[in-house]
Amino acid sequence: MMRIGMNTLLWTENFRTEEHQGLLWKLKNWGFDGVELVADAIPAAEASGIASMLREVGLQCTTIASLDANVADPASKNPMLRRAAADTLKLAIRNTKELGAELLCGPLFQGLGRFTGRGPEPEEWNYAVETIREAGEYAQDLGIRLALEPLNRFEMYMVNTLREGMRFCREVGLPNVGLLADTHHGNIEESDVETSWREAAELIYHVHISENHRGVPGSGHAVPPALFRLLQEIDYDGWLTIEAFSQTVPGLIPRLHIWRAYSEHTDDAARLGIDYIRRHLKAGGTD
């Protein structure tokens, strides 16, 4: 059965035990099954406390990570940046395990913020495959799956579509390394979202429900009712995690180009979004 999660980046980049316990209770009361936390932003000493709090509230967890190309980049020709990427991913994987989660997702193919003015070179591609394979083997030993997220062309040049992601995962060649299918990015890059998701079905380990404008699911055109019928038809049984953003997290505004609010209240993306998802799952994807 599909579970519904909420990415906490709607409210904070730095989730902390004391500060955000009330947020977890709100999400539980709204009907969420779990949350998605930024794994590489959690101090190791904090992870066990968050895990205890999640158990107390009764929420499960997935995690997410991304890499700053100036600091860590799996596809870089600079071996120091590749080493930093592998080390950062291993930290995120350890935190994922400590949090009691079983899946780490994110756009891990390359460091973000770096463009070359052309597509990926074979050397870059191979570096990325090698780095992710190292991280994937480490994750496999800890019982963690990795779900790699293709991003749109304005945020990443290494992998933009699920088909490209499938090729990448097959070259990594590990059973615990698959894909994250994101409705926002698919809305931009896929010629036919339904066809691309069907082709990649066996490698889709995680799903992000994210509107074309990053606001409340169902208020745009990237999360149509038919999406939920498709997920049922391909027998997807993983997480449906809402990924929405707001202007309450200043650090994300320039990175994600969130120049205006898309709802009256920040909580709307979660509170109204879960109602939209549950309604259409129950209806089998009909309007």
Side-chain angles (χ1 to χ4, degrees), residues 29 39 57 64 89 99 117 138 165 174 180 191 204 207 216 218 221 245 249 258 274 279:
N29 290 335
V57 175
I64 191 169
L89 292 176
L99 288 166
Y138 184 81
L174 295 172
L180 186 169
S191 298
I204 296 178
V207 167
V216 179
H221 60 253
F245 303 100
V249 185
I258 308 297
I274 190 171
R279 183 166 72 252

Side-chain angles (χ1 to χ4, degrees), residues 209-219 242-245 262-263 269:
I209 300 297
S210 189
E211 265 301 355
N212 56 286
H213 49 49
R214 300 295 207 174
V216 179
S219 66
I242 296 175
E243 186 183 53
F245 303 100
Y262 290 100
S263 60

